[in-house]
Amino acid sequence: MPFCSQCGNRVGDTQAYCRQCGAAQPVQPSAVPPFTPPPFAPPPPLTTHDPLASISPRTASILCYVPGMGWIAAIIVLAAQRFRQMPVVRFHAFQGLYLFVAWLMNDQVLKWALGPHLHVHDLVSVILLVASIFMMVKASHDEAYSLPLFGDLAHRSMSEH
């Protein structure tokens, strides 16, 4: 316990002034060291988060058949590293792409080639819609059902990659 530098009275370690004479006390080094910032530490390594990690193979397969938008899911599935070793999912992606090409051919070629009087375009649209829904159901049951023509093309595409 230190003493006052003026009167000799006992002064606590944390007192800046003496209680008896009021003299300012010299600053004592405190028991707590002053704050020093920690040494530079490199940031933690960046982890590569797979945005498709939460998507199950079944869901990915179903999304490949969504009318009008399934081609986007099919391309993502085919490009994703996660699904490279899953042949059933890749089969659905290829078949979904070929089904989408059929939609495009129907809307851009068949519709204009046959004219507005023949309703073949409408019939093909209904058939393609039913095929898409049918394949979504099959994919939800983890079945790799092969549609006529589209399934053969999908199998060929898988064997080439």
Side-chain angles (χ1 to χ4, degrees), residues 84-134:
R84 295 268 165 135
Q85 303 303 320
M86 298 180 185
V88 173
V89 178
R90 293 180 61 78
F91 169 78
H92 286 298
F94 277 119
Q95 188 165 256
L97 275 177
Y98 290 123
L99 198 58
F100 177 72
V101 169
W103 278 92
L104 286 178
M105 298 285 287
N106 185 41
D107 284 342
Q108 301 300 319
V109 177
L110 195 60
K111 181 178 182 179
W112 302 108
L114 297 178
H117 301 294
L118 295 175
H119 296 289
V120 176
H121 166 265
D122 295 331
L123 178 64
V124 173
S125 293
V126 169
I127 291 170
L128 290 173
L129 178 64
V130 169
S132 294
I133 294 170
F134 176 76

Side-chain angles (χ1 to χ4, degrees), residues 3 45 48-49 57 60-61 71 85 88 106 111 115 118 137 146 156:
F3 296 94
T48 55
H49 175 67
S61 297
W71 66 274
Q85 303 303 320
V88 173
N106 185 41
K111 181 178 182 179
L118 295 175
V137 171
S146 183
R156 282 188 204 153

